[in-house]
Amino acid sequence: MKVVIVGGVAGGASTAARLRRMDESAEIIMLERGPYISFANCGLPYHIGKVIEDRSKLLVVTPEDLKAMLNIDARIKNEVVRINRTEKTVTVREVESGREYEESYDKLVLSPGAGPIVPPLPGVDLPGVFTLRNIPDMDKIKAFVDQKKPARAVVVGGGFIGLEIAENLQHRGVQVTLIEMLNQVMAPVDYEMAALVHQHLIFKRIRLALGDGLKSIEEGEAGWLKVRLSSDRQVDAELVILSIGVRPESMLAKEAGLEIGFRGTIATNQHMQTSDPDIYALGDAAQVTSRITGEATALALAGPASRQGRAIADHITGRDARFKGVWGTSVVKVFDLTVAGTGLNTRQLEQAGLPFNSVLIHASNHAGYYPGASPMALKLIFSPEGKIYGAQAVGIEGVEKRIDVIATAMYGGLSVYDLEELELAYAPPYSSSRDPVNIAGFSAANTLRGDVTQMHWEEINKLDRQEYFILDVRLPEELPLGMIDGAVNIPLQQMRHQINEIPKDKKILVYCQTGQRSYFATRALKQLGFDVYNLSGGYKTYSHAVGRQSNFDVFENVTISSREEILEVPPQSAISGAEFSVDACGLQCPGPILKLYNKIKEVDEGDIVTVKATDYGFTTDVEAWAQSTGNRLLSLDTEKGVIVAKIQKGTPKPQAAAAMGQDKTMVVFSGDLDKGIAAFIIANGVIASGHKASMFFTFWGLNLLRKNHSVPVKKNLVEKMFGWMMPRGTQKAKLSQMHMAGMGTAMIKGIMKKHNVDNLTTMLETARENGVRLMACQMSMDLMGIKREELIDGIETVGVATMLAASDDSNAVIFI
Ligand code: FAD
């Protein structure tokens, strides 16, 4: 038997090695276009980052090794240019000499992989613009970084390769801007899970531009590139990496008349045979079946490629071997975080038309009392019958272990009820007596049994506030982290004594910080006859998901030409004060904040408290807490995965309740330039005088909140027409009077500039940064066909009840 294999890396080399183990007499020829075989693609970003220092470690075997150990004829720099199916030969071109020759086969295996997508945009071929697929690509990027020492890079694409490159470039001291066209990175996970990654990327000083794409790259001065985005924003960089996605290399198969399947992959059956039974295909270029939907799909990952190679070798040598399909189990490291998932996410389930429910829990990787415990968010998605559809987890340690357990459970056809019963290894350094997988199983089974009804973060802002009473069962000390608008705080510890304050004629939505205490409250209230709902994932998930995701506009139009400016957030110096420390490592949210709160209570004004914590959510929590309690965050950093925050005790801010009476609410009905300016001057003034300002944008006022570029969203014809006719964003706003075909508007802008008055865009930005609450009226958005994705970041979409609740706390409601 003579087997020819096209492609000598993950899939090709696995097939060749297994074939030899199955058939000592087979003639095995492996043809590889590039200069290396069997290299570790997955390690490429880490050599650029010098995490894997020794380049030779990426070269797993050489052709000589394969010949000596397995008697495989591996030929590098030999490209297959044609498949001649009738003759059962391939035409091979020697890359260096250009000489062509024919090679016959009994069985042909195609593992040509997938190439990086390079969009046909101006400038993608300029020096300094790279893609990363193989060793030569890696060498070029590494040499560029070593020699040119670029200060700034743009990474286009927030998938796992883009994130790995971003981290490794940052590791080399390069300031990275990450551009992602979707509104989230890591498309395999759901938005609220990706939101945790966004906050971490921002904390790690990555400049994150979400919902924006690459438009063009132009040459600038002294080797700099001007990267222009779809929004017309511009970033200057010396290095650009395109990691937009991959395209299967199926042209050879297509030209040979083989059937092409899902998104350009080579169609295969369960034995990985193509439409020609003597030709097999595998890896990134081959179509596979989703184990959940049974539909054709594609999955560019190394594990499936390797297992497919084994199945193909076994089938060629006479066994009834099958590759039954994929779940899509994956994991990626993003700085200190591990992000892992398996199965389908909620978007994919919606597209597949499969009904589902989900739970999101926050748990510790191991017992909290054992040093080094860290939190993880684990989301479990399941059918109404309890079939597991997928799971996603984000945390520091032990994340992939939980996903692997659930992936195995899915393989075995186990349900969420089985997860409740799984007996998993436990000792304090490794897990808890109730492993996060068990807890996710309990939570899902509770939901399906009707013990608790879950509500998800994305439903909150759509609630009819007349119908619901929102109950916050956290401790008062946790409230500076923020509250859901209109919620009433009755701590769980007091709930049973204050039960009369909870209305029986309304639906009750209960939340706490992580979803556990609210679950206890939900059970109690349910048994007392209340119609009660639990916020899955608690305030922690909600606040991460509705908060600002992208920090790019902060750096908009910043041209950096020196390395000194890379550190954007220099630590602040403390004037004086005694030093204290708090060890909150291992404590789950809100534990670290509560410990900090108690310490701050004990110390004197001006004293400095250093807190160490392992809950990565603490990075955002501590900032919000310090801001709302009048304390000063001096620095925030990580040391070997431990978050270290220095806080100087300040003058306590007046209690929120005392300040409420002075707050202002504005209803912004107009989208005119002059009225918008007036509204933001007032709002910023209210904040400057130490009170809260809420702005409720409705009808034409909504135009001020629109992004200034078109966003691809689904709309009907009327909505589209409205969209075209209405101005997009503050820059397009016109004067209400004397617009004079643009002359009046231009004049007023000029006058404002001359008098150093901020323009409307800057005013809005200042308002947003100062904490002015910006709300868009959901009802007007629906009427005018404006979608949430079209609004700038940091805007809440709310109903009238929310505006009314805000006005209850204000002593003036201003209508503009
Ligand atoms: P490849 O391994 O790409 O091999 C295909 C080979 O075929 C290529 O070397 C190509 O030169 C050769 N070839 C193509 N056409 C011809 C021809 N006509 N003649 C001769 N030779 C040809 N996956 C994970 O699961 N985890 C990870 O962490 C991970 N990290 C990654 C990081 C990077 C930077 C990259 C690029 C990929 C990563 N992957 C990861 C994906 C994984 O490497 C691929 O899924 C896997 O390599 C696919 O195997 P394959 O055999 O299909 O293709």
Side-chain angles (χ1 to χ4, degrees), residues 512-529:
C512 64
Q513 192 63 19
T514 61
Q516 194 186 28
R517 285 167 292 169
S518 59
Y519 163 61
F520 300 157
T522 306
R523 286 297 304 149
L525 292 173
K526 196 169 172 90
Q527 291 173 63
L528 292 169

Side-chain angles (χ1 to χ4, degrees), residues 5-13 31-37 39-46 75 78-82 92 110-114 132-134 160-161 164-165 246 249 252 282-286 299-306 308 329-332:
I5 301 170
V6 183
V9 191
L31 300 165
E32 167 56 50
R33 177 175 65 193
Y36 302 96
I37 55 156
F39 60 85
N41 333 43
C42 311
L44 302 178
Y46 298 97
R75 302 178 196 161
N78 275 251
E79 181 176 16
V80 174
V81 289
R82 201 162 40 252
V92 189
L110 303 177
S111 191
L132 177 62
R133 177 184 182 183
N134 49 32
F160 72 92
I161 296 181
E164 286 176 352
I165 295 173
V246 292
E249 288 216 30
L252 201 59
L282 75 157
D284 292 359
L299 185 66
L301 288 177
S306 165
Q308 289 156 14
T329 310
S330 65
V331 61
V332 63

